[in-house]
Amino acid sequence: MFLQSIDILDVDLCVQLPDKFVARTRASADLKEIMPYLNGMFRTSVYNHGDGSIKFTNDRVEYTIINDQVNIAKFANRTELHELLDWLRDLINDTYESRAEMTPLYARRKPVPVFFIYSLLPGTNCQMCGEKTCMAFAARLNKLEADIDACPPLSGQEYDASRRKLEGAFA
Amino acid sequence: MERPTPLYLDNGATSYPKPDAVYDSMVSYMRGNGASPGRGNYARAMEADRLVYETRKAIAELLGVPRPGQVIFTCNATESINMALKGYLRQGDRVLTTGYEHNAVMRPLKKLEARRQVQVERIPCTAEGALDMTAAKAKLREGVRLLAVSHASNVIGCVTPLDEAVAAAHECGAAVLVDAAQTAGVCPIDVTAVPVDMLAFTGHKGLLGPTGTGGLYLRKGFELSTLKEGGTGGMSLSPFPPDDPPDRYEAGTMNISGIAGLHASVRYLLDIGVDAVRAHEAELTGLLLDGFESIPRLTYYGPRSAGRIGLVSFNIEGHDPHKVSMRLDRDYGIMVRSGLHCAPEAHRLLGTAPTGAVRASVGYFNQPSDIARLVGALGEIASRPPD
């Protein structure tokens, strides 16, 4: 098995979200080799091949990996942290096993400009996404902290073209 | 007079013995770790944290629970059932249940009848525990909000057809609470295949763990108001419990030494397989029923089928059940339980209230020779005048 374990070093409160936690953990192997494959897998990823680091978001939880260090942010409690570590370990091991059939992505994804995103949103400030304005939601999308699915009006037929453009930009 | 070799046949109350790994795991945690999980940031607290998580994960695997975080630890099935009933039922709600429920279900419901005007109705059933599902469906259609059922009766030994009951309840918009106190670890359970909303279990019976352990499975997104509030190790500035399970429901330091034992016992069950336990207990139960049928004036209760769990309640005509139990212990070293088994409703159904019956309950570590010994002893008792 490529990765035996990911051990928790410490857990602290999340500064951004007071009802969530952050954790520093250490993997039993250097994960540099696997990063280009993770980069190809997550459209939210920010990968730096030179530094050997990658950051991505999955299901609202943020992962930052630097060599064997894995930082996880915005989880609800320690039980969820263990679940996430199990998931990540299995994902990394499955990826390692299947890497011959996968295409690594070495390029760094460019952030999608905030105003470009904003121009494709409904602009109604309906707040259904949880943000006060469409501009605030665009800023969160730009930082990969939100998903376009969080905007229900975008699923409507009248925004079909905008949605497809946004999906293309984040693909 | 020399005391006979002890023979334990009260596994329906609590299982004995436990797998050796259970004792070892508890001592290992207490001597070698001793830290409180979910709170400290030092390595040993993290190890304790992992032990608790691995136990949730093992239980999740055994019961078909999708995510370990859906397993909430309690101190027994009674606490789990109280948490479920008091956390879910609101003023004037209607609840449908069976006629063979344990007091762990009936007493909280009685309190909710008085405090929240909850209306409790029962599904008609036979003395063998067969539920009238046509009547149940008719009652469910009348606006029942919760179906609360035992997976198996601790007196009659009958097993509730959960798939049919759950489908009928969900069709009518009612949620389902299952009391699996007698079945977790001895009957296959899969809460994904049979999608119950809540399932209460205890650690010290079929799961072969220590007393003071148990839990409640909650379907994803199914939220209860809390039974207790207190420290959860995080978000301490908030005066309210956290929103997310399991922390939301687990205020206070847990029974970690118990959970350490439960971890070992559930791992043991996963290794041998619940199907093997079920097959072994079915064989012993079959021998028990055969033996009882050979004893004149002995009446046993519940179905004569392979579907029942490994406990059989019985009476010997003219003999007081308590005295039969005492004689078995005193003269033969055999431990069984007499009385109402905390389930007076079931005994009313059988016509054995208020004195009750004697109950023999087998466990994974019993052997056919144990059954032969019990049957022989009861044959002798039945042939003599009562005490």
Side-chain angles (χ1 to χ4, degrees):
Chain A
M1 193 187 289
F2 171 68
L3 184 60
Q4 297 293 333
S5 63
I6 309 175
D7 297 322
I8 303 168
L9 300 176
D10 57 52
V11 179
D12 207 346
L13 281 173
C14 180
V15 178
Q16 284 175 291
L17 300 171
D19 61 340
K20 302 289 179 196
F21 291 90
V22 295
R24 285 190 315 124
T25 72
R26 179 164 293 139
S28 60
D30 192 320
L31 302 175
K32 248 189 288 190
E33 187 184 349
I34 218 74
M35 288 179 191
Y37 299 96
L38 295 177
N39 188 35
M41 213 178 290
F42 294 97
R43 68 182 174 86
T44 57
S45 70
V46 179
Y47 174 51
N48 190 321
H49 185 61
D51 290 355
S53 70
I54 188 169
K55 181 179 175 181
F56 60 90
T57 305
N58 186 57
D59 200 16
R60 292 180 301 282
V61 175
E62 291 176 8
Y63 301 79
T64 307
I65 308 176
I66 306 165
N67 301 321
D68 63 346
Q69 287 176 48
V70 182
N71 295 342
I72 302 184
K74 301 182 182 174
F75 57 88
N77 51 50
R78 294 195 191 201
T79 304
E80 189 186 12
L81 173 60
H82 284 286
E83 289 177 347
L84 297 169
L85 291 175
D86 276 357
W87 169 79
L88 185 62
R89 185 200 57 214
D90 293 346
L91 176 79
I92 289 170
N93 282 329
D94 290 348
T95 305
Y96 185 82
E97 289 298 319
S98 314
R99 67 193 187 287
E101 293 87 51
M102 296 173 74
T103 308
L105 177 63
Y106 293 94
R108 185 173 179 161
R109 292 171 193 266
K110 287 180 186 166
V112 183
V114 176
F115 194 75
F116 173 76
I117 301 169
Y118 177 70
S119 70
L120 296 169
L121 294 177
T124 53
N125 299 330
C126 71
Q127 303 187 3
M128 288 168 81
C129 62
E131 300 299 325
K132 285 188 177 164
T133 62
C134 289
M135 184 61 87
F137 182 56
R140 291 206 66 205
L141 284 173
N142 161 269
K143 287 191 276 182
L144 305 175
E145 290 174 355
D147 194 283
I148 51 176
D149 289 340
C151 173
L154 266 185
S155 303
Q157 206 171 358
E158 59 181 309
Y159 295 108
D160 197 40
S162 299
R163 185 184 170 88
R164 272 191 276 116
K165 277 187 193 170
L166 278 170
E167 283 174 345
F170 283 102
Chain B
M1 189 178 124
E2 198 180 325
R3 285 281 294 175
T5 314
L7 169 56
Y8 187 80
L9 287 171
D10 195 16
N11 291 278
T14 191
S15 54
Y16 178 84
K18 312 296 184 186
D20 283 344
V22 174
Y23 312 124
D24 295 344
S25 179
M26 293 177 78
V27 171
S28 168
Y29 163 75
M30 291 181 83
R31 285 193 184 280
N33 184 297
S36 177
R39 281 137 174 89
N41 255 339
Y42 48 95
R44 246 199 232 179
M46 297 294 180
E47 277 173 37
D49 223 27
R50 174 148 284 277
L51 174 66
V52 173
Y53 174 72
E54 291 296 338
T55 311
R56 285 190 215 279
K57 198 170 151 183
I59 292 168
E61 187 180 341
L62 192 81
L63 302 178
V65 175
R67 287 178 65 169
Q70 292 170 270
V71 175
I72 295 149
F73 283 121
T74 63
C75 61
N76 48 40
T78 299
E79 187 186 351
S80 306
I81 293 164
N82 270 268
M83 186 187 280
L85 294 174
K86 292 173 182 170
Y88 183 69
L89 293 171
R90 301 180 303 217
Q91 187 75 22
D93 276 348
R94 295 177 72 175
V95 185
L96 185 60
T97 188
T98 74
Y100 48 74
E101 296 302 315
H102 191 277
N103 273 343
V105 171
M106 297 317 296
R107 284 182 172 170
L109 284 179
K110 201 71 195 165
K111 186 161 189 175
L112 288 168
E113 270 183 342
R115 295 280 172 91
R116 297 185 200 165
Q117 287 70 53
V118 162
Q119 299 168 53
V120 181
E121 296 191 52
R122 290 170 183 76
I123 306 171
C125 68
T126 68
E128 295 200 329
L131 297 173
D132 180 346
M133 287 308 294
T134 307
K137 285 170 189 169
K139 284 182 187 290
L140 283 165
R141 281 193 288 272
E142 289 166 9
V144 165
R145 189 156 174 264
L146 179 71
L147 173 67
V149 290
S150 284
H151 190 192
S153 162
N154 71 318
V155 175
I156 307 170
C158 56
V159 177
T160 305
L162 279 188
D163 43 1
E164 190 183 358
V166 171
H170 284 173
E171 202 174 296
C172 299
V176 181
L177 163 66
V178 172
D179 170 7
Q182 288 295 338
T183 53
V186 299
C187 291
I189 293 175
D190 186 336
V191 297
T192 303
V194 181
V196 302
D197 300 284
M198 300 178 275
L199 184 127
F201 60 91
T202 191
H204 70 100
K205 297 183 196 259
L207 290 184
L208 305 176
T211 51
T213 60
L216 179 69
Y217 155 74
L218 274 190
R219 180 171 58 75
K220 191 181 176 195
F222 201 88
E223 194 175 299
L224 304 172
S225 62
T226 51
L227 191 64
K228 58 183 179 181
E229 295 80 30
T232 53
M235 263 75 96
S236 298
L237 278 174
S238 169
F240 303 107
D243 290 336
D244 296 290
D247 291 21
R248 175 178 172 77
Y249 306 104
E250 291 180 345
T253 302
M254 306 171 167
N255 173 11
I256 315 300
S257 48
I259 288 172
L262 187 61
H263 177 247
S265 70
V266 176
R267 289 289 350 150
Y268 178 87
L269 285 168
L270 287 168
D271 286 346
I272 60 174
V274 170
D275 287 339
V277 176
R278 181 88 175 114
H280 181 66
E281 293 198 7
E283 184 200 347
L284 296 180
T285 309
L287 293 173
L288 207 49
L289 298 179
D290 289 344
F292 283 0
E293 284 173 4
S294 72
I295 299 170
R297 292 181 299 284
L298 186 149
T299 303
Y300 71 79
Y301 308 102
R304 165 84 235 208
S305 73
R308 62 182 298 159
I309 56 168
L311 59 85
V312 185
S313 301
F314 61 93
N315 272 311
I316 300 172
E317 193 184 326
H319 290 253
D320 179 272
H322 297 287
K323 289 184 177 166
V324 171
S325 161
M326 284 165 65
R327 267 177 97 165
L328 281 170
D329 184 41
R330 186 190 64 202
D331 300 340
Y332 302 93
I334 299 173
M335 290 164 263
V336 294
R337 172 139 170 228
S338 60
L340 294 170
H341 311 96
C342 298
E345 298 278 321
H347 282 284
R348 281 190 198 108
L349 196 66
L350 297 176
T352 48
T355 47
V358 189
R359 183 186 72 183
S361 48
V362 301
Y364 184 65
F365 298 110
N366 286 122
Q367 297 301 325
S369 57
D370 297 337
I371 306 302
R373 208 174 129 193
L374 173 68
V375 170
L378 287 171
E380 288 180 14
I381 290 171
S383 67
R384 293 187 204 135
D387 270 349

